[in-house]
Amino acid sequence: MSEKKIRFQPIDSLLNEARNKLSRFKYKILVMSGKGGVGKSFISSMLALGIAMHGRSVSLLDADVYGSSIPIFLGIQNYRHYANEEGEILPVDGPLNIKVVAFNLMLSSPDTPIAWRGPLVGKAIMELAAKVAWGEGDYLVVDMPPGTGDVALTIAQVFPSITGAILVTSPNALTETIVAKAANFAASMGIKLLGVIENMSYFKCPHCGKTTNIMGKWSSEYFSKKYKVDLLGRIPLDPTINEALDKGEPYILYNREAEASKAVLEIVDKVINLVEHTSNQ
Ligand SMILES: Nc1ncnc2c1ncn2[C@@H]1O[C@H](COP(=O)(O)OP(=O)(O)O)[C@@H](O)[C@H]1O
Ligand SMILES: [Mg+2]
């Protein structure tokens, strides 16, 4: 019986391969927060769509290994990744031709858990960066997992010339305390902060028009001053976001006139302006 040979690739060559491929993007933006459940994945997927609406080519990496959720926000959870003849992973073609790479699109079923220890997850991200057929593109948007652990560290260390990070917060002190950790993490890794987005800012009742601050009244202006980052915008709480999610409809494409969509699109304009006209990459 012949022994199957396992081919190990040294970390250095994997690192070079990853850096080489990722350097073909003009701009690389990390969407991070430190905190879970604040809307990173919603915002990453909508930013990617909004940027694509401006005619830019966009790739979107779902880097949340344990809680991969980008495919659901884009309505592509039934798609799967395939490999090309060279054995590279092909991104999935999402709406508006966004190229999506997500762990959940590699699993036999979306509810399969990934039970890996930290170092393995960091290695998996590097492997993914090296083995995807990214091609060339204008933007790579990365939906970061919560926390500042293995994945965040790997991305910060491996991804070449990151344009900057966008922080997502919500209007209460608890969230901002944790987002502050992400701000300090980015600064310690030499990653520029492009701005902060206050999500779930307020809720405007569709029946009586009254505004309620469901997630709190803490103003992100204080945070933006303290960390010297622009407040890019405020996105309201809107139940139609989750209705769209349930229907598999990418929110801003189906709800153009909603206040939340308008807020997202205004943020997109600011981000494009920031990275294309004022950043020195
Ligand atoms: N502005 C918003 N209004 C209503 N629901 C929202 C809003 N932003 C995000 N959500 C919902 O909150 C939940 C968590 O959002 P998600 O993007 O998955 O957070 P994270 O990636 O930070 O963990 C999702 O169900 C999402 O649809
Ligand atoms: Mg998420």
Side-chain angles (χ1 to χ4, degrees), residues 156-229:
Q157 289 169 342
V158 170
F159 285 33
S161 54
I162 294 169
T163 311
I166 293 176
L167 297 169
V168 182
T169 190
S170 69
N172 57 71
L174 167 70
T175 305
E176 277 203 6
T177 309
I178 302 172
V179 177
K181 290 179 193 288
N184 286 326
F185 171 81
S188 71
M189 301 303 290
I191 298 170
K192 179 178 173 180
L193 293 176
L194 295 172
V196 60
I197 298 173
E198 188 184 280
N199 190 26
M200 308 182 183
S201 280
Y202 57 90
F203 171 71
K204 196 166 167 192
C205 174
H207 308 293
C208 70
K210 197 175 161 223
T211 295
T212 313
N213 297 100
I214 294 179
M215 301 303 282
K217 280 189 182 174
W218 194 265
S219 171
S220 300
E221 263 143 22
Y222 172 73
F223 181 90
S224 111
K225 277 196 194 116
K226 183 167 176 194
Y227 290 93
K228 298 186 180 63
V229 287

Side-chain angles (χ1 to χ4, degrees), residues 31-45 64 67 69-70 73 143-146 168 198-203 234-243 245-246 251 260 264:
V31 177
M32 60 191 300
S33 164
K35 179 94 173 60
V38 285
K40 292 179 298 298
S41 303
F42 167 65
I43 289 174
S44 315
S45 49
D64 193 346
S69 47
I70 287 294
F73 281 104
D143 178 29
M144 299 289 279
V168 182
E198 188 184 280
N199 190 26
M200 308 182 183
S201 280
Y202 57 90
F203 171 71
R234 294 188 158 94
I235 304 173
L237 254 176
D238 189 336
T240 60
I241 290 175
N242 295 292
E243 284 165 25
L245 203 64
D246 293 343
Y251 184 71
V264 167

